[in-house]
């Protein structure tokens, strides 16, 4: 019983640590005599793994077209990787989420190294600010935004070429033998 509980705890911790990945899925309705070559649908999704991505694909395609898992088939499921993840880029995300009161549409901007980390930031941000659950968040559209086209202040504040990050009020680390509760003069925290 104890082993089962510890395995469950480790599994939950792994799920919490998992990052969002982007997948491209191609699917269609199963070929039949009536329609031997059905239309192929392509969808870009963000999920933890390919199983969750396929599940999301069937969820969205059944809402958009008359295709469901019983009468459809997935042709390919590829994980998408970004070419350059060493440069900070601006990302715009259109999404809808379910709150306690209703469904809301939203546009958000993030400065991240990759699209996947931007989507992870979306989930974290909505969980913190809006109490939105991951299952209630639907990513509608994502785009890499040029600095001139950015709208949100939390992104545009970093577009200054002379930006500085001053280290103010640094308290020096003192060895334990020199520490005391009271001092004759205040410590200098400016350098």
């Amino acid at each position: 019983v104890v082993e089962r509980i510890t395995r469950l705890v480790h599994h939950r911790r792994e799920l919490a640590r998992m990052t969002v990945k982007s997948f491209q899925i191609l699917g269609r309705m199963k070929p039949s005599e009536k329609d031997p070559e059905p239309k192929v649908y392509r969808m870009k999704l963000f999920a933890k793994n390919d199983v969750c991505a396929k599940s999301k694909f069937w969820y969205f395609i059944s809402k958009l077209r008359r295709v469901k898992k019983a009468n459809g088939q997935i042709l390919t499921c590829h994980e998408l990787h970004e070419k350059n993840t060493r440069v900070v880029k601006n990302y715009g995300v259109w999404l809808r989420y379910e709150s306690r009161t209703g469904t809301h549409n939203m546009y958000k901007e993030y400065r991240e190294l990759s699209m996947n980390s931007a989507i992870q930031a979306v989930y974290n941000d909505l969980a913190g600010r809006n109490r939105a659950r991951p299952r209630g968040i639907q990513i509608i559209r994502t785009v890499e935004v040029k600095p001139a086209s950015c709208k949100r202040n939390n992104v545009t504040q970093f577009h200054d070429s002379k930006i500085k990050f001053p280290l103010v009020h640094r308290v020096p680390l003192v060895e334990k033998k020199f520490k005391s509760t009271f001092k004759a003069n205040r410590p200098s925290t400016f350098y």
Side-chain angles (χ1 to χ4, degrees), residues 48-75:
K48 289 179 182 178
N49 51 42
D50 60 334
V51 176
C52 294
K54 287 173 187 175
S55 176
K56 275 189 178 184
F57 173 79
W58 290 124
Y59 173 79
F60 288 121
I61 205 75
S62 65
K63 289 195 175 295
L64 297 167
R65 299 283 181 266
R66 287 189 53 135
V67 181
K68 57 183 184 177
K69 194 176 180 182
N71 61 13
Q73 59 182 176
I74 289 176
L75 303 174

Side-chain angles (χ1 to χ4, degrees), residues 47-184:
K48 289 179 182 178
N49 51 42
D50 60 334
V51 176
C52 294
K54 287 173 187 175
S55 176
K56 275 189 178 184
F57 173 79
W58 290 124
Y59 173 79
F60 288 121
I61 205 75
S62 65
K63 289 195 175 295
L64 297 167
R65 299 283 181 266
R66 287 189 53 135
V67 181
K68 57 183 184 177
K69 194 176 180 182
N71 61 13
Q73 59 182 176
I74 289 176
L75 303 174
T76 58
C77 178
H78 295 296
E79 187 181 340
L80 301 174
H81 299 282
E82 220 163 314
K83 284 182 182 175
N84 190 2
T85 56
R86 292 172 292 175
V87 180
V88 178
K89 296 173 281 294
N90 308 308
Y91 294 101
V93 181
W94 284 263
L95 60 103
R96 66 192 299 224
Y97 76 96
E98 288 175 20
S99 70
R100 291 170 186 173
T101 54
T103 307
H104 312 281
N105 294 323
M106 195 180 279
Y107 169 73
K108 284 186 158 291
E109 285 179 354
Y110 293 94
R111 248 175 100 73
E112 293 286 341
L113 292 168
S114 68
M115 183 65 80
N116 292 349
S117 54
I119 298 300
Q120 186 70 51
V122 168
Y123 281 107
N124 294 342
D125 193 29
L126 286 171
R129 290 177 195 270
N130 306 84
R131 300 287 188 269
R133 306 288 182 268
R135 65 177 177 270
I137 300 169
Q138 295 176 7
I139 308 296
I140 297 167
R141 184 173 163 230
T142 56
V143 68
E144 191 178 318
V145 186
K146 291 175 184 171
S149 305
C150 288
K151 299 172 187 174
R152 302 291 185 256
N153 291 333
N154 65 332
V155 173
T156 54
Q157 68 183 346
F158 294 106
H159 292 162
D160 184 11
S161 59
K162 296 176 183 175
I163 193 167
K164 291 181 180 179
F165 299 97
L167 298 168
V168 293
H169 292 296
R170 285 181 288 174
V171 179
L173 289 170
V174 183
E175 286 183 44
K176 195 171 183 180
K177 62 182 176 181
F178 297 119
K179 270 190 180 180
S180 66
T181 309
F182 303 103
K183 285 284 180 191

